Amino acid sequence: MNIADDPDRAPARSHLYAMGLTDDDMRRPTVGIASTWTGTMPCNLTHRDLARHVATGVRRAGGTPMEFNTVAVSDNLTMGTPGMRASLVSREVIADSIELMGRAHAFDALVCIVGCDKTVPAAMMAMARLDIPAVLLYSGSMMPGRWRDRDVTIQDMWEALGERAVGRLGQEDVDDLARNACPGAGTCAAQYTANTMGAVADFMGLAPFGVGDIPAVAAEKQGAAERVGEIALDVLARDVRPSRILTADALHNAIVSVAAMGGSTNAVLHLLAVAREAGLDLAIDEIGAICRRIPIVTGLKPSGPHTAVDLWRAGGTSLVASRLRDAGLLRENVTLVDGRSWADVAADARETPGQDVVASVAEPVKGPGALAVLRGSLAPDGCVLKLGGRADFRREGPARVFDSEEECFEAIQGGHVRAGDVVIVRYEGPAGGPGMREMLSITGALVGQGLGDSVALVTDGRFSGVSHGLVIGHVAPEAYQGGPIALVRDGDTVAVDSGAETLDLLVDEEELERRRAAWTRPERLAERGVFSKYVATVGSASDGAVTV
Ligand code: FES
């Protein structure tokens, strides 16, 4: 019985009257609108506005909207600082928050408005847990900035620090770029983590194609948000729940999108986490195997020249989907949230004449290999190499070992890391960091100094979607749990073979046993509060670093 007609819910009714709701409002289906708005970042700055437009769509379709908010942490603003530890932790807190609100208020349906990196997988995880009819609205990319006659993004900003270190740019140049790199609201402006996960939401079926890739500040976004509000009532009427959408085939299609669009390594972590929440078996190696056979069909930064807005102008994720479908790379026995089929999405796709952002599968931008999953004596449970479509390579080099991102960054900026080194950054894993900081200060410094292709970086932390170069992250087991990466010493030989998909520490077993016996776990950084709870419950990166 609804609240309006239940005699015992009169106290609840009094609070709903206090908010201006009528008896009729209470008799309509309630749609929770989870916004990840915060005023601390440009990425999610439009969400309050979007929530109002979603609410308009909900009302128009016969529902009663109820808005609520979650926390969110900006990766860019916290990058290279201790605050970055909060980023991956926030994924769990956001998922928990949406879940709690859904359970407390027993919404009939749910819309999740998301943007910055962790908010997208967090919403997916909460949708899987609640399993009520739900739609995801990705709020959209920032426009690129313009500096010295070229489009720039936050990637240029980070690499400028490396260029400053070798004297190619001065501080005035860096400051000038900072004033021009990010011209307004929206998520980081290319195929970094947020936009990778926005596309994943489309291909997984949780978000309607044609909405997420509209830029955050484009006028069309508001009408699209209203349509999402209407879709929420439609999925309720059709009783389309996340458990119907989140299938093994849907995950397959999502992984194909990451591979085909040269997406972020963070997608590996998040796809594993969503699979766990949905009760689906997904092994990290399956993600690597799919990436091995899917060519990169978009020329998006960081591995290509184009920005997210270029993709939208060219035809968006619908055009990418149509190309992948034409090549038979998508599994079609899936449910898309707006009721369309892959054939409908392909038929609705519009290609801008002359566009050069989306290629065909037959003549891709790059060959297969956006990402590769490696295993070996240094990563028995796996790790992720950002291959970016480059040719397979073998590399052996002496280890340069650092126990934190800061130590390593200082050494690079001080000129103490040389071509041929294999830089190891450890105790930055899910529990050890805690929170798997992204090593963008390091990769930006290496690329900026021209060492991006000659220094390999191996870490139990992770990478920003902006990062590129010879980067291997998510090494599992992590150092804090006594994984082999904790045993590496300066000068040890580390061997990477991307073709053989191996990462090995070339030290004999007896010596490793001696080091293992002498190893002690470092003290925890946090004995109280959210980090303490996180460290006590978080699992391995090879399982998505979910808390249980
Ligand atoms: Fe929020 Fe990049 S820091 S999307």
Side-chain angles (χ1 to χ4, degrees):
M1 192 184 297
N2 65 57
I3 290 179
D5 298 316
D6 185 341
D8 293 339
R9 300 301 309 277
R13 275 200 296 282
S14 65
H15 267 192
L16 295 176
Y17 292 136
M19 298 195 300
L21 268 68
T22 65
D23 289 342
D24 276 353
D25 292 333
M26 292 179 224
R27 290 194 181 98
R28 294 190 184 112
T30 54
V31 179
I33 302 174
S35 155
T36 53
W37 178 88
T38 80
T40 60
M41 57 170 85
C43 333
N44 293 8
L45 210 51
T46 57
H47 290 197
R48 277 203 299 207
D49 226 32
L50 288 176
R52 278 194 286 274
H53 287 286
V54 172
T56 299
V58 167
R59 280 196 202 91
R60 195 158 58 214
T64 295
M66 301 195 97
E67 295 175 38
F68 65 96
N69 233 90
T70 74
V71 300
V73 173
S74 157
D75 290 75
N76 185 63
L77 279 163
T78 56
M79 195 75 68
T81 76
M84 184 69 207
R85 295 191 172 95
S87 165
L88 190 58
V89 177
S90 77
R91 186 189 74 182
E92 307 305 297
V93 175
I94 296 164
D96 290 353
S97 302
I98 297 173
E99 180 196 355
L100 275 175
M101 289 296 281
R103 295 202 191 285
H105 294 278
F107 302 126
D108 296 299
L110 181 69
V111 175
C112 294
I113 306 173
V114 290
C116 196
D117 301 10
K118 305 307 165 294
T119 65
V120 192
M124 294 170 171
M125 293 159 74
M127 289 160 94
R129 290 180 197 170
L130 288 168
D131 202 26
I132 57 175
V135 196
L136 187 145
L137 168 57
Y138 180 67
S139 57
S141 176
M142 187 184 283
M143 306 299 286
R146 198 76 192 153
W147 190 63
R148 296 185 180 170
D149 292 329
R150 64 186 172 99
D151 281 350
V152 288
T153 71
I154 197 68
Q155 178 183 337
D156 299 87
M157 202 61 254
W158 282 98
E159 289 169 10
L161 298 188
E163 293 189 60
R164 182 191 61 188
V166 293
R168 278 204 292 274
L169 291 178
Q171 186 60 42
E172 280 179 15
D173 301 311
V174 171
D175 292 341
D176 191 40
L177 176 58
R179 278 187 282 272
N180 290 284
C182 298
T187 60
C188 292
Q191 203 62 359
Y192 313 133
T193 304
N195 283 323
T196 298
M197 293 307 296
V200 159
D202 291 350
F203 280 83
M204 205 176 253
L206 292 174
F209 272 92
V211 171
D213 46 20
I214 301 171
V217 296
E220 298 97 297
K221 199 82 192 190
Q222 299 173 355
E226 291 183 16
R227 280 205 308 284
V228 168
E230 293 170 344
I231 290 171
L233 272 294
D234 183 50
V235 288
L236 177 62
R238 291 185 286 120
D239 196 28
V240 175
R241 293 164 186 262
S243 53
R244 206 164 118 198
I245 293 175
L246 292 172
T247 61
D249 285 348
L251 276 178
H252 169 274
N253 292 338
I255 299 165
V256 168
S257 79
V258 175
M261 298 173 76
S264 162
T265 48
N266 282 313
V268 176
L269 204 61
H270 300 324
L271 286 163
L272 290 168
V274 174
R276 299 290 175 275
E277 299 286 2
L280 297 167
D281 282 334
L282 176 66
I284 189 170
D285 306 87
E286 287 177 52
I287 300 175
I290 292 172
C291 289
R292 274 291 178 195
R293 60 181 178 77
I294 305 292
I296 299 175
V297 299
T298 58
L300 295 168
K301 289 171 186 270
S303 54
H306 297 293
T307 67
V309 172
D310 295 332
L311 172 65
W312 173 61
R313 290 190 181 118
T317 52
S318 306
L319 180 59
V320 179
S322 124
R323 293 281 156 83
L324 296 173
R325 180 176 177 268
D326 286 349
L329 295 176
L330 295 177
R331 294 190 181 161
E332 304 216 16
N333 186 23
V334 293
T335 301
L336 304 180
V337 72
D338 60 2
R340 284 189 287 174
S341 64
W342 283 120
D344 297 331
V345 171
D348 292 344
R350 294 281 168 269
E351 178 174 7
T352 301
Q355 66 84 21
D356 63 350
V357 182
V358 184
S360 67
V361 172
E363 291 179 80
V365 174
K366 289 183 181 173
L371 313 170
V373 171
L374 316 181
R375 287 183 187 258
S377 59
L378 191 47
D381 292 345
C383 61
V384 181
L385 163 69
K386 189 162 194 170
L387 202 48
R390 73 171 74 216
D392 275 321
F393 65 93
R394 296 173 66 175
R395 183 69 58 89
E396 265 189 36
R400 296 292 318 282
V401 183
F402 303 94
D403 285 349
S404 73
E405 180 185 7
E406 288 86 351
E407 262 183 49
C408 181
F409 180 68
E410 269 175 39
I412 295 168
Q413 294 296 74
H416 305 305
V417 169
R418 293 184 186 83
D421 286 346
V422 178
V423 167
I424 307 278
V425 185
R426 64 190 179 189
Y427 297 108
E428 291 285 5
M436 291 184 87
R437 284 193 293 177
E438 295 180 341
M439 302 292 140
L440 183 52
S441 63
I442 295 174
T443 58
L446 288 172
V447 170
Q449 291 188 29
L451 294 170
D453 284 325
S454 54
V455 172
L457 170 57
V458 176
T459 179
D460 53 8
R462 60 198 171 92
F463 298 110
S464 160
V466 174
S467 296
H468 60 118
L470 297 177
V471 296
I472 299 168
H474 309 203
V475 168
E478 60 174 306
Y480 184 80
Q481 305 293 13
I485 191 171
L487 309 180
V488 186
R489 292 187 181 165
D490 275 336
D492 287 349
T493 301
V494 173
V496 186
D497 187 332
S498 72
E501 300 182 341
T502 54
L503 174 68
D504 288 306
L505 176 60
L506 304 185
V507 174
D508 70 60
E509 195 46 45
E510 275 179 26
E511 170 61 16
L512 285 179
E513 267 315 312
R514 273 193 292 278
R515 293 184 193 179
R516 199 169 282 122
W519 178 79
T520 53
R521 189 195 304 270
E523 299 228 332
R524 278 185 186 176
L525 281 173
E527 288 299 336
R528 303 178 62 193
V530 66
F531 286 140
S532 173
K533 289 180 208 165
Y534 185 79
V535 171
T537 54
V538 72
S540 168
S542 60
D543 282 324
V546 289
T547 49
V548 287

